[in-house]
Amino acid sequence: MNSTIRHEIFTRFKAANPHPTTELEYNSPFELLVAVVLSAQATDKSVNLATRKLFPKANTPEKILALGEAGLRDAIKSIGLYKTKAKNILATCTLLIEDHGSKVPKTREQLEKLPGVGRKTANVILNTAFGEPTMAVDTHIFRVANRTKIAPGKTVLEVELKLLKRIPKEFRHDAHHWLILHGRYVCVARKPKCAICIINDLCEYKDKNL
């Protein structure tokens, strides 16, 4: 795929959705961090249902630690892997208090030292909370990048680095959200909705569902 076509793809995404953002509900970098940790192998909708109950009670590292493991587990038990996630969140809260003055750090290196935070989660925080032009490649972005041929790659990291290199600078901050939403609602896994896709004439997928 050439650069002119890629530019047109993101021009259309921007025209259709000028200010995309995450579907996770949050009011602070810390709330976003907790929500993203909870979202691993879970839907944003299920996370929002849980955090609507959790955050009014506990939305700081200190308040979540005060809940204790049993209290936190009870608040998030509707989410998959909730026991492991509760342990990671509590350990993260301790580190945030001890090492970062209860604030969410703003560097990838510091973020990835937090329990339950890998490269993808760090990229989401850096992009959504702090405005950095990072690319958090999840299953949706990996699929869209390969299927459309915007940035094909065999690994998540390969796709991430290709996207950062190939997406025009003016679109990089929002590209993460455009690609996730496109994969979630249009370029879905089993039967992509090519007939309603705004880039179906630019996409290089051979088996279009028109």
Side-chain angles (χ1 to χ4, degrees), residues 104-121:
V104 176
K106 295 184 177 182
T107 70
R108 182 194 307 284
E109 183 182 12
Q110 290 175 319
L111 283 166
E112 289 187 11
K113 288 180 180 177
L114 301 173
V117 177
R119 185 179 181 89
K120 185 180 77 171
T121 297

Side-chain angles (χ1 to χ4, degrees), residues 37-57:
V37 170
L38 291 175
S39 71
Q41 298 181 48
T43 65
D44 287 0
K45 288 181 180 179
S46 69
V47 173
N48 290 337
L49 287 172
T51 56
R52 284 171 199 163
K53 297 176 182 177
L54 173 63
F55 289 156
K57 299 176 188 175

